């Protein structure tokens, strides 16, 4: 069951305890960021807040973010993640610099490949708000195992986010604690670099095909 909460003016957080989405309600349309698992019933949660037409954008194509897409029709998703989508919505491309204006919010798309090849963050410069999908998290785990992930690109993308960290006040990841501060960008980078150097001890995950590698600040599920 997805619960809804007004987090700040016209900005709702939808959360089923596993993954969260964001809904901005403007004057004549709403903007939804991510759609949850197929059984998160995000469409119903959105309907409980607004009956305005809803534009949908996705932070990336993993199933816990794209699972409810087909209920909404058209969705914007970075082309590098289209291969992850098996059925459902009509996809439209999303890329660096795409701007989504809704009410007093203005979200700019930043490509941050690594967690998936098509991962993006949405950044509101005026509100100093960053929605990084799964790519910045406190504690983790950040999934970095499987064919569609790339640790080197992840590290590059964290460096790109570090460059704007001084313009960020609030980060709302899709999993675990929120809000978190901009210091977590550098913290995740520090841990990812240690992982890359083979310095994080890994423990075999009890049921997933990966190792749990704990850094100083966050944890990665990694397979190399
Ligand atoms: Zn996720």
């Amino acid at each position: 069951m997805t619960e809804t909460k007004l987090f700040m003016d016209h900005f709702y957080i939808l959360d089923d305890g596993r993954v969260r989405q964001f809904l901005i309600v403007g004057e004549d349309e709403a903007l939804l960021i991510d759609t949850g698992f197929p059984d998160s019933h995000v469409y119903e949660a959105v309907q409980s807040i607004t009956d305005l037409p809803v534009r949908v954008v996705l932070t990336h194509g993993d199933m816990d973010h794209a699972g409810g897409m087909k209920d909404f029709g058209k969705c914007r998703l970075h082309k590098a993640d289209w291969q992850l989508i098996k059925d459902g919505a009509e996809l439209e491309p999303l890329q660096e610099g795409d701007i989504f204006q809704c009410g007093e919010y203005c979200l700019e798309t930043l490509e941050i490949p690594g967690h998936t090849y098509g991962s993006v963050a949405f950044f509101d410069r005026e509100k100093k708000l960053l929605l990084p999908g799964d790519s910045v998290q406190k504690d983790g785990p950040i999934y970095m195992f499987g064919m569609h992930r790339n640790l080197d690109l992840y590290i590059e993308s964290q460096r790109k986010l570090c460059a704007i960290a001084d313009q960020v006040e609030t980060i709302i990841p899709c999993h675990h604690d929120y809000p978190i501060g901009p210091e977590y960008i550098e913290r995740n980078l520090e841990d990812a670099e240690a992982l890359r150097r083979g310095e994080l001890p890994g423990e075999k995950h009890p049921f997933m095909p990966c190792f749990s590698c704990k850094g100083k600040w966050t944890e990665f599920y990694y397979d190399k």
Side-chain angles (χ1 to χ4, degrees):
M1 167 80 189
T2 290
E3 306 210 325
T4 64
K5 164 174 158 182
L6 182 63
F7 179 73
M8 51 192 174
D9 285 350
H10 305 114
F11 184 105
Y12 292 82
I13 292 182
L14 285 52
D15 199 333
D16 71 353
R18 298 173 293 175
V19 63
R20 63 182 74 91
Q21 307 80 42
F22 312 102
L23 181 73
I24 299 171
V25 180
E27 268 172 27
D28 42 28
E29 71 169 1
L31 179 68
L32 176 69
I33 296 113
D34 284 356
T35 63
F37 282 104
D39 65 355
S40 299
H41 303 292
V42 170
Y43 183 78
E44 286 84 344
V46 169
Q47 294 280 299
S48 76
I49 296 170
T50 181
D51 50 15
L52 290 173
V54 182
R55 266 202 293 174
V56 182
V57 296
L58 299 186
T59 59
H60 61 292
D62 277 344
M63 208 243 299
D64 52 330
H65 302 258
M69 257 185 5
K70 60 186 178 315
D71 298 330
F72 292 93
K74 286 181 192 164
C75 292
R76 301 282 297 268
L77 173 66
H78 194 286
K79 272 195 165 173
D81 274 5
W82 285 17
Q83 46 154 348
L84 301 176
I85 307 301
K86 304 292 176 238
D87 62 344
E90 189 185 325
L91 295 174
E92 292 182 333
L94 174 68
Q95 62 183 16
E96 178 82 16
D98 284 348
I99 302 277
F100 299 93
Q101 184 89 47
C102 186
E104 72 265 38
Y105 292 82
C106 180
L107 301 185
E108 181 184 337
T109 308
L110 306 175
E111 293 175 350
I112 50 162
H115 172 64
T116 65
Y117 284 89
S119 285
V120 304
F122 296 105
F123 178 37
D124 191 312
R125 281 178 198 272
E126 202 166 303
K127 299 202 178 286
K128 301 180 185 293
L129 170 70
L130 184 71
L131 306 173
D134 290 358
S135 299
V136 182
Q137 290 182 43
K138 185 182 172 193
D139 301 333
I142 298 174
Y143 282 34
M144 288 304 303
F145 69 97
M147 290 296 286
H148 62 293
R149 317 213 188 259
N150 184 311
L151 181 59
D152 289 329
L153 285 177
Y154 178 83
I155 289 171
E156 255 176 60
S157 294
Q158 293 298 305
R159 289 192 183 124
K160 175 177 177 177
L161 292 178
C162 273
I164 59 154
D166 62 342
Q167 301 166 56
V168 175
E169 268 171 16
T170 308
I171 298 178
I172 314 179
C174 292
H175 301 283
H176 312 291
D177 286 6
Y178 79 94
I180 60 174
E183 65 277 11
Y184 275 91
I185 299 170
E186 211 175 317
R187 289 174 176 181
N188 282 187
L189 172 62
E190 185 187 326
D191 283 347
E193 285 176 333
L195 179 64
R196 188 78 195 88
R197 291 192 300 267
E199 291 170 8
L200 299 192
E203 243 174 64
K204 183 101 193 55
H205 193 280
F207 57 87
M208 283 198 277
C210 63
F211 292 88
S212 150
C213 302
K214 285 201 173 86
K216 196 165 152 197
W217 309 102
T218 194
E219 179 184 13
F220 293 95
Y221 282 175
Y222 191 52
D223 56 0
K224 300 225 174 51

